[in-house]
Amino acid sequence: MGGGPKDMRAERDRFVAFAFSAADLMLELAAEGQVTFASGAARLLTGRDPNELVGQSFASLVDEVDRHFILNLLANLTVGGRIEPVTIRLLAADGSPGAVCVLGGCCLPRHEGRYYLTLSNARLPGAEAALANKRDYQTGLLALDDFETRAGERLKLARELGSEVKLTLVEIVGLKELAESLPPDESRALMSDVGALLRGKSLGGDTAGRIDPEKYGILHANPLDQTAMADQVRDLVRKSGVDAAGDLLGIRGATLDLHARGMSDEDAANAMAFAVQRFASEGAAGFSLRSTEDSLKALLNTTVSRVHALRSAVSGRRFQLVFQPIVHLDTRMLHHYEALSRFEDGGSPFETIRLAEGVHLIGEFDLAVVSRVVDLLTEKRRQGDIIDVAVNLSGHSLESTVFMAALREILAPVPELRKQLIFEITESTQITNLVHAAAAVRQLREDGHSVCLDDFGAGAASFPYLQALDVDYVKIDGAYVKALQSREHDRDRAILKGMVWLCKELGIGTVAEMVETEDQAGLLRDFGIDYGQGYLFGRPEPEMLMEPFRPDADGPARRRPG
């Protein structure tokens, strides 16, 4: 390489050309974060000319959702270090959400105290959707369902490109309690700092999620030192002003290699989703500190066989149905049964349904259950028994127009069952497309079926669901029923009364689940709840043991003899 001025200019021009081939906008920042130089398509990305950017804080150009994340990235950028490409959103000149960009950067040894950033207009498929994902309001990390989806997409892409990625699951015991002990502003700052730290370690800056209040997941390509990360979390706690509390945090986790030999892309994604769900439900309590990593690796390997077994059970209809009665609380007359699934392996039905949702088998499973119940009701009708039965449909299924077409095809030959077959919408995972779900509910009701919304009051989405979905019944989450007789839960009782009042105003019937005592049943009836379900009225049984409703029947529902 020549050393003359002409050669130096040529070398400079060459690197400038390389930079612009990879980026739309180049920025130089001072140590304090102010833009000192800007060149490129500034107007395209920010709505401003390059000279208008000079002197502004770079963080002020970034959407509020990503601002804390960017500040954390810059604060942790060491001399000679790089910012791996991450997806962020800028602000437009009028302060509205602007362009979605891929950000990269470095801090050169010869220019200590300066940051060099590149911004490229993100034209990649899914970039816009990635930033639209639901985020945890405290940390800015992806919520559980969106984390599973986004991590699955990233994993599939990485495997297609031959890149290796890993999943690290971390539990930070005591962080939630510690944050709640701080003043509100300091608590928000601490949780935002933790979220920004974890997000900065994730692949593309958009594959870290908050699995539950103290459990987190990070999909990453670069090595992740868990010990160093734990020290960084403790440092953030000390920075919040709690000197000794950082030493009290219990931080434990495991890293999973998602490139097991012989595992297909689909099976790897399914195994990852199931591992996240298992970690969410059991956490450190389910895995000892020494064996956490081995246990999760074993789970990753065995999940593949579970997925295959589930596919086989669904396609071969190798599952059983049991029926639990729902009765009028005032008369104890049978109103209808709920059909519940049981599997040959004896595993948790809830966990199996979550697995079916995670591996996109839930629609096929829901259709298989509907077919079984249709056959049963047809046979019962032939015998002279007119029985109403509720069948669970996953929110995922309702969002699919293909599923709805298949469901209506099953129901078309049996119009006489329309008033007998009730559909109960379950929320084991969040409904993401309420427009499609509302259209599905409307279609089912127009066809003559009643629709019930399950687990009402269990999550933040319940009231938006009630607003969007025109249902006939809601089933109130059993946690409110369990809390009824405790003086410590007056708040829950007040909320329960409010939900009942709201449903009465909307003309929606109410069902209380998990009713186990007469005292509970009496209180629920006094609150104005219409129907009850629980062991007090009958356990799930293979046979329908209560007499079906007869218009001329007297007295409460009766169990069949034998």
Side-chain angles (χ1 to χ4, degrees), residues 318-330:
R318 290 197 300 276
F319 57 88
Q320 302 300 316
L321 292 180
V322 293
F323 303 90
Q324 188 171 27
I326 288 88
V327 304
H328 295 262
L329 281 176
D330 53 355

Side-chain angles (χ1 to χ4, degrees), residues 249-288:
L249 293 177
I251 303 175
R252 62 201 312 179
T255 297
L256 288 73
D257 186 344
L258 298 171
H259 289 265
R261 189 173 301 172
M263 186 180 290
S264 69
D265 292 347
E266 183 180 4
D267 285 340
N270 292 339
M272 179 183 68
F274 190 56
V276 170
Q277 293 164 13
R278 184 73 173 271
F279 193 73
S281 62
E282 299 189 14
F287 309 96
S288 68

Side-chain angles (χ1 to χ4, degrees), residues 31 105 114 301 328 353 475 481 534 561:
R114 299 271 171 177
N301 292 330
H328 295 262
I353 296 301
K475 182 178 289 186
V481 177

Side-chain angles (χ1 to χ4, degrees), residues 197-279:
L197 172 69
L198 302 184
R199 187 178 169 189
K201 297 179 182 300
S202 72
L203 185 63
D206 61 359
T207 48
R210 193 178 191 185
I211 297 172
D212 84 353
E214 294 193 334
K215 302 188 189 80
Y216 302 85
I218 309 165
L219 190 72
H220 55 97
N222 296 327
L224 197 159
D225 186 333
Q226 290 186 43
T227 302
M229 183 173 68
D231 290 339
Q232 289 174 309
V233 172
R234 292 189 176 99
D235 286 343
L236 292 175
V237 171
R238 295 188 187 98
K239 190 181 82 172
S240 71
V242 186
D243 293 334
D247 297 321
L248 302 177
L249 293 177
I251 303 175
R252 62 201 312 179
T255 297
L256 288 73
D257 186 344
L258 298 171
H259 289 265
R261 189 173 301 172
M263 186 180 290
S264 69
D265 292 347
E266 183 180 4
D267 285 340
N270 292 339
M272 179 183 68
F274 190 56
V276 170
Q277 293 164 13
R278 184 73 173 271
F279 193 73

Side-chain angles (χ1 to χ4, degrees), residues 71-99:
L71 289 171
N72 182 271
L73 281 182
L74 294 176
N76 288 284
L77 182 58
T78 57
V79 175
R82 297 179 67 238
I83 296 175
E84 297 296 330
V86 296
T87 305
I88 64 169
R89 186 188 293 278
L90 300 179
L91 287 177
D94 62 359
S96 62

Side-chain angles (χ1 to χ4, degrees), residues 385-535:
D385 287 342
I386 309 299
I387 301 173
D388 296 350
V389 176
V391 177
N392 291 310
L393 296 183
S394 166
H396 276 323
S397 298
L398 284 184
E399 294 176 293
S400 168
T401 54
V402 174
F403 170 85
M404 286 302 299
L407 175 64
R408 298 188 74 207
E409 186 175 336
I410 292 173
L411 300 175
V414 286
E416 67 276 10
L417 299 182
R418 288 177 177 177
K419 292 190 179 299
Q420 291 177 246
L421 194 56
I422 302 166
F423 291 107
E424 191 166 310
I425 305 168
T426 63
E427 193 199 340
S428 49
T429 59
Q430 188 174 13
I431 298 173
T432 57
N433 192 327
L434 277 174
V435 174
H436 283 180
V441 169
R442 186 165 54 251
Q443 185 64 70
L444 289 172
R445 297 185 77 231
E446 288 175 357
D447 288 344
H449 301 281
S450 295
V451 179
C452 176
L453 180 61
D454 195 14
D455 293 329
F456 186 68
S462 292
F463 287 96
Y465 288 177
L466 190 61
Q467 185 179 34
L469 307 178
D470 190 9
V471 298
D472 301 279
Y473 307 100
V474 297
K475 182 178 289 186
I476 295 170
D477 186 65
Y480 292 97
V481 177
K482 288 184 176 181
L484 269 182
Q485 294 172 277
S486 172
R487 292 180 179 271
E488 298 176 1
H489 294 279
D490 288 344
R491 184 182 181 88
D492 288 333
R493 295 176 70 168
I495 293 172
L496 176 58
K497 290 180 180 178
M499 289 191 291
V500 174
W501 174 85
L502 176 62
C503 290
K504 293 289 186 189
E505 288 292 303
L506 296 174
I508 296 173
T510 47
V511 183
E513 63 180 357
M514 298 186 185
V515 184
E516 298 182 356
T517 69
E518 288 289 352
D519 286 342
Q520 288 174 332
L523 285 170
L524 293 167
R525 185 184 61 247
D526 292 343
F527 286 172
I529 294 176
D530 302 303
Y531 311 102
Q533 177 182 11
Y535 289 170

